[in-house]
Amino acid sequence: MIISQNTLKWVMRFYPPLFFQRIWVKKFEDDFRSCTVKLSKSFLNKNYNGSIFGGTIYAATDPFYALLFDQLMQRRGFKVRVWLKSASIQYLKPGRSNLYFTIRVTDEMIAEAEDALKTVGKFVKAFPMEITDKNGVLCATVMNEVYIRNLHQGEMPTVAY
């Protein structure tokens, strides 16, 4: 479904798995080429050491590359199914304050995905993310592997749950 940037921002802000972990979408920009997210430290996501729980950081990075690629490919006329195929995270420093990240989808990334969808029918690639604290100190790095499949005509969409 094609959705506006503002609508998706508000849907994601109140999506329970993100909302209750204090994961806040600040904005989607540039026709879904960019997304900025804030992880607010609170008693709801603080661990034994007083830093943001690693699972919260991991969960915050889960949906955004898939959402961006889904909206971008649909706007280019593709009928696609997109999801996060795998992810890995490396925690570098404790998140003792709010954390932030911005991801960007470049023209080259879009062209590579379009070419693969037109020729092979699917696109699988890992993309990096960097999570920083309020001072810009790198706290975690993440690799998200996105899977995009060009749905063939006649295939009935199914619900994943």
Side-chain angles (χ1 to χ4, degrees):
M1 163 180 20
I2 293 178
I3 191 168
S4 76
Q5 292 171 204
N6 194 49
T7 301
L8 185 56
K9 174 185 74 174
W10 283 101
V11 166
M12 295 305 292
R13 283 180 174 182
F14 292 106
Y15 180 53
L18 302 182
F19 179 78
F20 289 110
Q21 293 189 71
R22 307 281 306 194
I23 300 165
W24 192 254
V25 177
K26 293 182 76 174
K27 57 188 166 183
F28 287 101
E29 291 184 289
D30 305 326
D31 296 326
F32 289 103
R33 289 176 180 252
S34 174
C35 178
T36 302
V37 178
K38 174 184 177 182
L39 289 78
S40 298
K41 182 182 168 190
S42 80
F43 76 95
L44 294 173
N45 64 15
K46 191 168 65 168
N47 66 17
Y48 176 77
N49 295 315
S51 60
I52 295 178
F53 174 61
T56 297
I57 298 169
Y58 200 66
T61 65
D62 182 290
F64 296 104
Y65 268 117
L67 284 171
L68 292 177
F69 272 108
D70 180 65
Q71 291 299 310
L72 288 165
M73 293 299 108
Q74 285 189 64
R75 283 170 167 70
R76 284 165 174 70
F78 289 95
K79 180 181 175 190
V80 293
R81 184 163 296 133
V82 184
W83 67 88
L84 179 68
K85 184 175 180 183
S86 69
S88 63
I89 189 165
Q90 181 157 9
Y91 302 101
L92 305 171
K93 294 192 178 221
R96 299 201 186 278
S97 66
N98 296 340
L99 299 177
Y100 304 87
F101 66 88
T102 298
I103 61 172
R104 289 180 177 76
V105 178
T106 65
D107 289 336
E108 293 79 22
M109 294 161 70
I110 294 168
E112 186 179 4
E114 281 185 349
D115 183 54
L117 291 174
K118 289 176 183 174
T119 57
V120 182
K122 70 178 180 178
F123 174 74
V124 181
K125 187 163 183 178
F127 299 102
M129 301 172 79
E130 294 184 339
I131 294 89
T132 59
D133 67 12
K134 64 182 179 180
N135 299 317
V137 175
L138 187 62
C139 293
T141 59
V142 179
M143 286 299 289
N144 278 358
E145 185 179 33
V146 177
Y147 180 100
I148 307 171
R149 191 168 122 221
N150 191 3
L151 299 178
H152 298 287
Q153 189 171 6
E155 180 183 75
M156 298 300 294
T158 59
V159 179
Y161 52 87

